[in-house]
Amino acid sequence: MMEEIECKPPTQLIVEASISSTDHPKKNNNGEALSPSCSNILTKIHAGYFRISLSLGCQALLWKILTQPNGVSRDVLHVFSKLPSTACLLLWCLAALTQISLTLVYVLRCYFQFDLVKAEFSHHIGVNYLYAPWISWLALLQSAPILLQNSSLLYMILCWTFIVPLAMLDIKIYGQWFTTEKRFLSVMANPTSLISVIGNLVAARAAAQMGWKESAVCMWSLGMVHYLVLFVTLYQRLSGQNSLPTILRPTFFLFFAAPSMGSLAWNSITGTFDTTSKMLFFFSLFLSVSLACRPFLFKKSMRKFNVAWWAYSFPLTFLAMAAVEYSREVKCHVATLLMLLLSVVSVLVFLGLMMLTAANIDRLLGGTDDPILAFCKNKKSNAGATTK
């Protein structure tokens, strides 16, 4: 009997050993442990998510322009003057909170997941969204409440803090377009490349509002010249099917966002909505109507909600802001109706995206069909395999 007991295998010891051999938590590049939820968020949130805060900041800027006492006509001004200042302030606070939150998350991503950030920089689409955080800050700064004056020292310091990184990105990316063989513009060009143009034009408007006219003209000319080059390049070869992923087709709206912002920036530089601003506004209006007449182009990209949908919002807001300035200059009923139509469309699209984002927050943070995210993961896995 004793011999039978002694011959029994130590099954309990084997079970305990298997329980104790659990997986270790993921670590960052510096060897520090990360919780699974934190690691998942830092992996998912890339620079493209700043389209959300950019849309919020631009919408706050539109509301600020509409409530300014430089009205279009007395009746329209009376309607917009009824907008409570508290609503505009709350919208700006929401934009500021979103921008600060995304910035903190992205700073943590740079620290804990720097390999993914480097992968973004090497991606022909992801690199363009590195402009988005700085554009968002500039839009937020220009839409700030009246307490932050354009001529104040704090405004100037913050403005140049956000403009300098844009100029550094210009030197890096624009230089690669005509000096690096693998990154020639004919190879790298896609609709998201227009974000760099928008960044220069937003910076030009901010510099003009501070009174730095020469710097504003410099940024404006840099942006518009590259817009012409990009437009011709994309106009000649863009098929709409295999030049960029289907999920990113909302970025076609960037085609009219750039000239709309160009007209606004030139209006701030010259102090009047002159012929140049009108030409850019009419061109952006034509491009927007041309895209609106082709809804089937965006049919496949609208099947599942994703962060790329926010590319619909801020281009429409830029166009609405340009329409406001145009109607103030022309002062006719047709211009006023056009301004009202574009403003209403911009607000409705913005509110719709807000509700869709709130209803699909899990899909927004957990989607696996993002081409930038997929490229970053493959790049990181390949780098890990190489080091092994």
Side-chain angles (χ1 to χ4, degrees):
M1 190 71 180
M2 290 294 293
E3 292 179 356
E4 292 180 358
I5 295 175
E6 290 177 356
C7 293
K8 289 183 178 180
T11 54
Q12 188 173 358
L13 292 176
I14 294 174
V15 171
E16 291 178 355
S18 62
I19 294 175
S20 61
S21 59
T22 57
D23 294 334
H24 296 285
K26 294 182 179 179
K27 297 182 179 181
N28 69 332
N29 298 329
N30 300 323
E32 299 176 8
L34 294 172
S35 63
S37 58
C38 179
S39 177
N40 183 55
I41 293 176
L42 297 182
T43 303
K44 301 290 185 182
I45 302 295
H46 53 78
Y49 280 79
F50 281 93
R51 283 171 287 195
I52 300 175
S53 58
L54 176 57
S55 299
L56 287 166
C58 292
Q59 195 66 213
L61 183 58
L62 173 63
W63 287 28
K64 181 180 180 179
I65 293 175
L66 287 173
T67 54
Q68 284 176 348
N70 299 327
V72 182
S73 65
R74 293 182 180 180
D75 296 334
V76 177
L77 178 63
H78 179 68
V79 171
F80 287 117
S81 63
K82 292 183 178 181
L83 286 173
S85 57
T86 306
C88 299
L89 180 61
L90 289 176
L91 178 60
W92 185 85
C93 291
L94 177 61
L97 180 61
T98 305
Q99 177 68 10
I100 293 172
S101 302
L102 286 173
T103 301
L104 291 176
V105 171
Y106 201 77
V107 169
L108 292 175
R109 176 184 171 92
C110 292
Y111 180 74
F112 289 106
Q113 301 286 347
F114 188 67
D115 291 339
L116 297 180
V117 178
K118 289 194 296 183
E120 284 184 69
F121 195 82
S122 61
H123 191 257
H124 68 288
I125 294 175
V127 66
N128 298 307
Y129 284 114
L130 296 178
Y131 283 88
W134 311 108
I135 303 173
S136 301
W137 278 115
L138 285 172
L140 191 66
L141 189 62
Q142 295 177 51
S143 62
I146 196 65
L147 297 176
L148 190 59
Q149 298 291 339
N150 297 344
S151 58
S152 64
L153 179 62
L154 178 61
Y155 187 94
M156 292 185 180
I157 293 175
L158 290 175
C159 191
W160 284 110
T161 301
F162 305 139
I163 291 177
V164 170
L166 288 175
M168 295 174 65
L169 282 171
D170 286 342
I171 295 172
K172 178 66 176 178
I173 295 175
Y174 290 167
Q176 289 180 341
W177 285 354
F178 65 89
T179 59
T180 306
E181 183 176 357
K182 293 183 179 180
R183 291 183 172 269
F184 281 161
L185 182 59
S186 57
V187 178
M188 300 293 290
N190 61 85
T192 61
S193 302
L194 296 168
I195 298 178
S196 63
V197 173
I198 295 173
N200 289 305
L201 298 175
V202 173
R205 185 176 188 272
Q209 290 182 336
M210 291 189 300
W212 295 68
K213 293 298 178 66
E214 297 301 318
S215 301
V217 172
C218 175
M219 298 299 293
W220 187 88
S221 59
L222 184 64
M224 290 310 301
V225 168
H226 280 89
Y227 174 73
L228 292 175
V229 174
L230 279 168
F231 183 81
V232 172
T233 303
L234 295 173
Y235 200 87
Q236 288 178 337
R237 73 176 185 85
L238 189 62
S239 64
Q241 295 182 3
N242 53 11
S243 295
L244 82 163
T246 303
I247 196 175
L248 295 179
R249 286 189 185 177
T251 57
F252 276 73
F253 273 47
L254 297 175
F255 274 105
F256 65 82
S260 299
M261 193 64 235
S263 65
L264 288 170
W266 189 251
N267 175 56
S268 298
I269 292 171
T270 60
T272 179
F273 207 84
D274 59 7
T275 304
T276 302
S277 296
K278 291 177 182 178
M279 289 172 62
L280 291 172
F281 170 65
F282 290 145
F283 182 58
S284 61
L285 188 63
F286 166 76
L287 291 177
S288 63
V289 173
S290 178
L291 289 173
C293 293
R294 292 165 174 81
F296 291 102
L297 179 66
F298 307 97
K299 184 178 179 181
K300 291 183 179 180
S301 63
M302 300 294 290
R303 291 176 179 175
K304 292 182 180 180
F305 177 75
N306 58 82
V307 70
W309 286 22
W310 280 98
Y312 291 123
S313 180
F314 62 88
L316 288 171
T317 306
F318 285 146
L319 185 61
M321 287 190 288
V324 172
E325 298 296 342
Y326 172 73
S327 59
R328 286 176 175 173
E329 179 68 23
V330 177
K331 294 183 175 65
C332 69
H333 295 296
V334 175
T336 301
L337 290 175
L338 180 62
M339 180 271 298
L340 287 173
L341 175 63
L342 293 175
S343 298
V344 169
V345 170
S346 173
V347 172
L348 290 178
V349 170
F350 170 76
L351 293 176
L353 287 172
M354 286 284 291
M355 291 186 290
L356 286 171
T357 302
N360 297 276
I361 191 66
D362 293 336
R363 179 180 295 176
L364 194 68
L365 296 177
T368 57
D369 52 353
D370 194 321
I372 302 176
L373 183 61
F375 176 82
C376 291
K377 287 184 176 180
N378 293 334
K379 193 82 173 179
K380 185 177 181 181
S381 60
N382 293 336
T386 304
T387 54
K388 290 180 181 179

